[in-house]
mmCIF file with all atom_site columns, all heavy atoms in Angstrom:
data_model
loop_
_atom_site.group_PDB
_atom_site.id
_atom_site.type_symbol
_atom_site.label_atom_id
_atom_site.label_alt_id
_atom_site.label_comp_id
_atom_site.label_asym_id
_atom_site.label_entity_id
_atom_site.label_seq_id
_atom_site.pdbx_PDB_ins_code
_atom_site.Cartn_x
_atom_site.Cartn_y
_atom_site.Cartn_z
_atom_site.occupancy
_atom_site.B_iso_or_equiv
_atom_site.pdbx_formal_charge
_atom_site.auth_seq_id
_atom_site.auth_comp_id
_atom_site.auth_asym_id
_atom_site.auth_atom_id
_atom_site.pdbx_PDB_model_num
ATOM 1  N N   . GLU K 1 15 ? 9.437  -23.114 -11.072 1.00 97.00 ? 15 GLU K N   1
ATOM 2  C CA  . GLU K 1 15 ? 9.464  -23.440 -9.643  1.00 97.00 ? 15 GLU K CA  1
ATOM 3  C C   . GLU K 1 15 ? 10.859 -23.923 -9.229  1.00 97.00 ? 15 GLU K C   1
ATOM 4  O O   . GLU K 1 15 ? 11.538 -24.629 -9.964  1.00 97.00 ? 15 GLU K O   1
ATOM 5  C CB  . GLU K 1 15 ? 8.435  -24.548 -9.379  1.00 97.00 ? 15 GLU K CB  1
ATOM 6  C CG  . GLU K 1 15 ? 8.348  -25.001 -7.944  1.00 97.00 ? 15 GLU K CG  1
ATOM 7  C CD  . GLU K 1 15 ? 7.295  -26.085 -7.766  1.00 97.00 ? 15 GLU K CD  1
ATOM 8  O OE1 . GLU K 1 15 ? 6.690  -26.517 -8.777  1.00 97.00 ? 15 GLU K OE1 1
ATOM 9  O OE2 . GLU K 1 15 ? 7.070  -26.492 -6.605  1.00 97.00 ? 15 GLU K OE2 1
ATOM 10 N N   . GLY K 1 16 ? 11.253 -23.528 -8.040  1.00 97.00 ? 16 GLY K N   1
ATOM 11 C CA  . GLY K 1 16 ? 12.527 -23.974 -7.487  1.00 97.00 ? 16 GLY K CA  1
ATOM 12 C C   . GLY K 1 16 ? 13.673 -23.008 -7.695  1.00 97.00 ? 16 GLY K C   1
ATOM 13 O O   . GLY K 1 16 ? 14.692 -23.096 -6.998  1.00 97.00 ? 16 GLY K O   1
ATOM 14 N N   . GLU K 1 17 ? 13.514 -22.073 -8.614  1.00 96.00 ? 17 GLU K N   1
ATOM 15 C CA  . GLU K 1 17 ? 14.591 -21.118 -8.870  1.00 96.00 ? 17 GLU K CA  1
ATOM 16 C C   . GLU K 1 17 ? 14.665 -20.062 -7.772  1.00 96.00 ? 17 GLU K C   1
ATOM 17 O O   . GLU K 1 17 ? 13.659 -19.709 -7.159  1.00 96.00 ? 17 GLU K O   1
ATOM 18 C CB  . GLU K 1 17 ? 14.385 -20.414 -10.209 1.00 96.00 ? 17 GLU K CB  1
ATOM 19 C CG  . GLU K 1 17 ? 14.787 -21.245 -11.401 1.00 96.00 ? 17 GLU K CG  1
ATOM 20 C CD  . GLU K 1 17 ? 15.012 -20.404 -12.639 1.00 96.00 ? 17 GLU K CD  1
ATOM 21 O OE1 . GLU K 1 17 ? 14.983 -19.163 -12.566 1.00 96.00 ? 17 GLU K OE1 1
ATOM 22 O OE2 . GLU K 1 17 ? 15.208 -21.018 -13.696 1.00 96.00 ? 17 GLU K OE2 1
ATOM 23 N N   . ASN K 1 18 ? 15.866 -19.560 -7.575  1.00 97.00 ? 18 ASN K N   1
ATOM 24 C CA  . ASN K 1 18 ? 16.058 -18.380 -6.732  1.00 97.00 ? 18 ASN K CA  1
ATOM 25 C C   . ASN K 1 18 ? 15.894 -17.152 -7.622  1.00 97.00 ? 18 ASN K C   1
ATOM 26 O O   . ASN K 1 18 ? 16.267 -17.172 -8.795  1.00 97.00 ? 18 ASN K O   1
ATOM 27 C CB  . ASN K 1 18 ? 17.450 -18.375 -6.113  1.00 97.00 ? 18 ASN K CB  1
ATOM 28 C CG  . ASN K 1 18 ? 17.723 -19.630 -5.311  1.00 97.00 ? 18 ASN K CG  1
ATOM 29 O OD1 . ASN K 1 18 ? 16.827 -20.171 -4.671  1.00 97.00 ? 18 ASN K OD1 1
ATOM 30 N ND2 . ASN K 1 18 ? 18.959 -20.105 -5.365  1.00 97.00 ? 18 ASN K ND2 1
ATOM 31 N N   . LEU K 1 19 ? 15.329 -16.080 -7.071  1.00 96.00 ? 19 LEU K N   1
ATOM 32 C CA  . LEU K 1 19 ? 15.104 -14.904 -7.908  1.00 96.00 ? 19 LEU K CA  1
ATOM 33 C C   . LEU K 1 19 ? 15.276 -13.621 -7.102  1.00 96.00 ? 19 LEU K C   1
ATOM 34 O O   . LEU K 1 19 ? 15.206 -13.636 -5.859  1.00 96.00 ? 19 LEU K O   1
ATOM 35 C CB  . LEU K 1 19 ? 13.720 -14.962 -8.547  1.00 96.00 ? 19 LEU K CB  1
ATOM 36 C CG  . LEU K 1 19 ? 12.533 -15.031 -7.606  1.00 96.00 ? 19 LEU K CG  1
ATOM 37 C CD1 . LEU K 1 19 ? 11.924 -13.641 -7.436  1.00 96.00 ? 19 LEU K CD1 1
ATOM 38 C CD2 . LEU K 1 19 ? 11.482 -15.991 -8.116  1.00 96.00 ? 19 LEU K CD2 1
ATOM 39 N N   . VAL K 1 20 ? 15.471 -12.545 -7.848  1.00 97.00 ? 20 VAL K N   1
ATOM 40 C CA  . VAL K 1 20 ? 15.693 -11.237 -7.226  1.00 97.00 ? 20 VAL K CA  1
ATOM 41 C C   . VAL K 1 20 ? 14.755 -10.219 -7.860  1.00 97.00 ? 20 VAL K C   1
ATOM 42 O O   . VAL K 1 20 ? 14.674 -10.110 -9.088  1.00 97.00 ? 20 VAL K O   1
ATOM 43 C CB  . VAL K 1 20 ? 17.155 -10.781 -7.404  1.00 97.00 ? 20 VAL K CB  1
ATOM 44 C CG1 . VAL K 1 20 ? 17.330 -9.349  -6.903  1.00 97.00 ? 20 VAL K CG1 1
ATOM 45 C CG2 . VAL K 1 20 ? 18.096 -11.731 -6.685  1.00 97.00 ? 20 VAL K CG2 1
ATOM 46 N N   . LEU K 1 21 ? 14.059 -9.483  -7.011  1.00 97.00 ? 21 LEU K N   1
ATOM 47 C CA  . LEU K 1 21 ? 13.232 -8.358  -7.456  1.00 97.00 ? 21 LEU K CA  1
ATOM 48 C C   . LEU K 1 21 ? 13.930 -7.065  -7.060  1.00 97.00 ? 21 LEU K C   1
ATOM 49 O O   . LEU K 1 21 ? 14.521 -6.985  -5.977  1.00 97.00 ? 21 LEU K O   1
ATOM 50 C CB  . LEU K 1 21 ? 11.847 -8.431  -6.819  1.00 97.00 ? 21 LEU K CB  1
ATOM 51 C CG  . LEU K 1 21 ? 11.081 -9.747  -7.004  1.00 97.00 ? 21 LEU K CG  1
ATOM 52 C CD1 . LEU K 1 21 ? 9.721  -9.660  -6.333  1.00 97.00 ? 21 LEU K CD1 1
ATOM 53 C CD2 . LEU K 1 21 ? 10.939 -10.087 -8.475  1.00 97.00 ? 21 LEU K CD2 1
ATOM 54 N N   . ASN K 1 22 ? 13.834 -6.073  -7.921  1.00 97.00 ? 22 ASN K N   1
ATOM 55 C CA  . ASN K 1 22 ? 14.565 -4.833  -7.719  1.00 97.00 ? 22 ASN K CA  1
ATOM 56 C C   . ASN K 1 22 ? 13.657 -3.649  -7.432  1.00 97.00 ? 22 ASN K C   1
ATOM 57 O O   . ASN K 1 22 ? 12.543 -3.544  -7.966  1.00 97.00 ? 22 ASN K O   1
ATOM 58 C CB  . ASN K 1 22 ? 15.384 -4.512  -8.967  1.00 97.00 ? 22 ASN K CB  1
ATOM 59 C CG  . ASN K 1 22 ? 16.425 -5.559  -9.242  1.00 97.00 ? 22 ASN K CG  1
ATOM 60 O OD1 . ASN K 1 22 ? 17.347 -5.751  -8.450  1.00 97.00 ? 22 ASN K OD1 1
ATOM 61 N ND2 . ASN K 1 22 ? 16.275 -6.266  -10.341 1.00 97.00 ? 22 ASN K ND2 1
ATOM 62 N N   . CYS K 1 23 ? 14.157 -2.746  -6.616  1.00 98.00 ? 23 CYS K N   1
ATOM 63 C CA  . CYS K 1 23 ? 13.459 -1.520  -6.273  1.00 98.00 ? 23 CYS K CA  1
ATOM 64 C C   . CYS K 1 23 ? 14.497 -0.406  -6.180  1.00 98.00 ? 23 CYS K C   1
ATOM 65 O O   . CYS K 1 23 ? 15.528 -0.583  -5.514  1.00 98.00 ? 23 CYS K O   1
ATOM 66 C CB  . CYS K 1 23 ? 12.732 -1.701  -4.941  1.00 98.00 ? 23 CYS K CB  1
ATOM 67 S SG  . CYS K 1 23 ? 11.947 -0.211  -4.282  1.00 98.00 ? 23 CYS K SG  1
ATOM 68 N N   . SER K 1 24 ? 14.254 0.694   -6.874  1.00 98.00 ? 24 SER K N   1
ATOM 69 C CA  . SER K 1 24 ? 15.191 1.820   -6.779  1.00 98.00 ? 24 SER K CA  1
ATOM 70 C C   . SER K 1 24 ? 14.425 3.085   -6.406  1.00 98.00 ? 24 SER K C   1
ATOM 71 O O   . SER K 1 24 ? 13.234 3.223   -6.714  1.00 98.00 ? 24 SER K O   1
ATOM 72 C CB  . SER K 1 24 ? 15.937 2.012   -8.102  1.00 98.00 ? 24 SER K CB  1
ATOM 73 O OG  . SER K 1 24 ? 15.037 2.291   -9.146  1.00 98.00 ? 24 SER K OG  1
#
Side-chain angles (χ1 to χ4, degrees):
Chain K
E15 180 179 3
E17 281 199 7
N18 303 325
L19 59 99
V20 173
L21 306 181
N22 297 296
C23 174
S24 61

